[in-house]
Amino acid sequence: MNDITDTNTTDVPALLRNVPSSVEFKKLRKRLLRQAREAIDDFGMLPKDASQQKRPKWLVCLSGGKDSYTLLAVLIELHWRGLLPVDLVACNLDQAQPGFPTDILPKFFEENGIEHIIVREDTYSIVTDKIPAHQTYCSLCSRLRRGILYRIAREQGCEAIVLGHHREDILETFFMNLFHGGRLASMPPKLVNDEGDLLVLRPLAYCAERDIAKFASGMQFPIIPCNLCGSQDGLQREEVKRMLQGWEKQSPGRLGVMARALGRTRPSHLLDRALYDFVNLRPSDRAAGDEAGEAEEPCGASLAMTAKLFAAE
């Protein structure tokens, strides 16, 4: 990656001209760029034939929160450095929430010379009319928003819509499905929509929320709070978030370990018969090294318990 120090010259995108120059911030910025680039490469977010001459077009969704601002900044920098041969169009969906400051994002886009589109659709009234105030708005709000973004992407000739979900969002969704949905599933970094004509991409899938928060603060992005889902207390997702934060506080680095686990599943060591043929598994059928054998290494929990038991004797 090109040297990250010289970003206050005129050839740099306006958004990056006044970034903090501290060593700590440079390290943070490089980490986010590296992790986003790894996710883009690992999950094949770019077509194999993508080049500066043959560039796909991405619709980068901006809500006005720290995550989407960081997403846009990271993608713009990767593009500027020649590492992302993609045409980027920023998009804000104004959902007509009362008190929403409609001037902030247009000003931000214009001051930084960012190609953008702003669409106003009153989904707020629909959500609040259909969902009682004491229930969670997230599901309906998300479905309405996603449908509108798909339409905009098609109108703009985009191959993908790009969202700012990060590592913790993915982990929270996993535990939400585990605790409340009875299934092992999360937000994939890359998927195809139901109609089969658009990709949904999450380049920040490897990025920690705390890094994104530090980056957004250092960049002094004009954050716009959500007055819809974000205004409701006692949401199940918030409970899961607090649980994960508690685990990370007790054992720093645990969230990173759990995130890596989502990419290292062993169907033969779970219970899903649709993913592994347990019924027909027989001793004589298993080849050497088959993943259905015993675990190569005992898990950390069993090792700790064994050590504790022997220490007590």
Side-chain angles (χ1 to χ4, degrees):
M1 185 176 293
N2 300 340
D3 186 12
I4 206 166
T5 58
D6 300 323
T7 53
N8 56 357
T9 56
T10 55
D11 67 323
V12 174
L15 184 61
L16 306 175
R17 288 178 190 164
N18 297 305
V19 298
S21 58
S22 69
V23 173
E24 181 181 2
F25 193 85
K26 289 175 184 175
K27 290 181 178 178
L28 168 64
R29 184 173 157 202
K30 289 183 74 171
R31 182 162 62 249
L32 291 172
L33 290 172
R34 173 178 53 80
Q35 291 171 337
R37 190 180 179 193
E38 286 176 355
I40 290 169
D41 290 344
D42 287 352
F43 298 100
M45 296 184 187
L46 282 172
K48 292 182 179 180
D49 61 349
S51 66
Q52 294 299 337
Q53 291 72 40
K54 188 176 181 180
R55 299 191 300 270
K57 193 174 185 180
W58 288 359
L59 190 76
V60 186
C61 303
L62 265 285
S63 65
K66 69 182 191 311
D67 306 331
S68 58
Y69 276 124
T70 299
L71 170 68
L72 180 63
V74 166
L75 295 181
I76 285 175
E77 180 154 5
L78 287 174
H79 180 270
W80 170 64
R81 293 180 180 280
L83 301 172
L84 186 66
V86 170
D87 290 330
L88 303 172
V89 180
C91 176
N92 171 247
L93 173 57
D94 179 353
Q95 297 178 266
Q97 298 177 23
F100 183 82
T102 57
D103 60 316
I104 290 180
L105 281 171
K107 182 179 178 182
F108 173 81
F109 292 139
E110 291 163 9
E111 287 180 347
N112 291 287
I114 296 170
E115 183 179 354
H116 66 279
I117 180 172
I118 294 178
V119 177
R120 182 180 174 85
E121 294 279 355
D122 188 3
T123 62
Y124 180 89
S125 296
I126 298 173
V127 172
T128 53
D129 178 63
K130 300 294 184 183
I131 306 293
H134 64 280
Q135 294 184 12
T136 304
Y137 296 142
C138 296
S139 179
L140 177 57
C141 180
S142 176
R143 289 199 304 273
L144 293 172
R145 184 171 63 247
R146 189 68 59 87
I148 296 168
L149 291 173
Y150 286 158
R151 188 199 75 212
I152 297 169
R154 294 184 186 104
E155 292 172 353
Q156 294 294 312
C158 295
E159 174 185 89
I161 68 170
V162 192
L163 306 175
H165 296 120
H166 47 68
R167 183 187 72 181
E168 277 77 354
D169 287 324
I170 291 172
L171 283 171
E172 287 164 17
T173 302
F174 173 81
F175 281 101
M176 287 284 290
N177 281 315
L178 177 66
F179 294 157
H180 305 289
R183 60 178 180 169
L184 298 182
S186 187
M187 292 176 174
K190 175 185 177 183
L191 63 85
V192 176
N193 67 337
D194 291 340
E195 291 81 1
D197 64 335
L198 291 169
L199 290 171
V200 179
L201 306 176
R202 297 181 172 96
L204 301 185
Y206 291 158
C207 300
E209 184 174 16
R210 64 175 179 272
D211 283 348
I212 291 172
K214 290 178 183 177
F215 182 83
S217 176
M219 293 291 286
Q220 298 183 339
F221 292 135
I223 304 298
I224 302 173
C226 174
N227 295 319
L228 190 57
C229 302
S231 66
Q232 294 177 290
D233 295 326
L235 298 180
Q236 292 173 341
R237 182 172 290 273
E238 289 302 313
E239 294 176 3
V240 170
K241 180 184 285 290
R242 286 192 293 269
M243 178 191 73
L244 294 178
Q245 290 173 344
W247 287 351
E248 182 69 12
K249 185 176 181 180
Q250 282 186 325
S251 303
R254 180 175 290 186
L255 295 189
V257 173
M258 293 194 304
R260 287 193 295 275
L262 294 181
R264 302 176 64 189
T265 56
R266 298 187 69 180
S268 65
H269 287 62
L270 297 173
L271 307 180
D272 194 335
R273 291 169 293 164
L275 293 181
Y276 193 83
D277 187 8
F278 292 100
V279 173
N280 294 311
L281 182 66
R282 293 293 180 269
S284 59
D285 296 335
R286 189 175 72 82
D290 191 319
E291 69 160 11
E294 294 184 19
E296 297 173 1
E297 298 179 0
C299 71
S302 65
L303 288 174
M305 180 61 71
T306 302
K308 185 175 181 180
L309 288 173
F310 278 105
E313 291 183 354

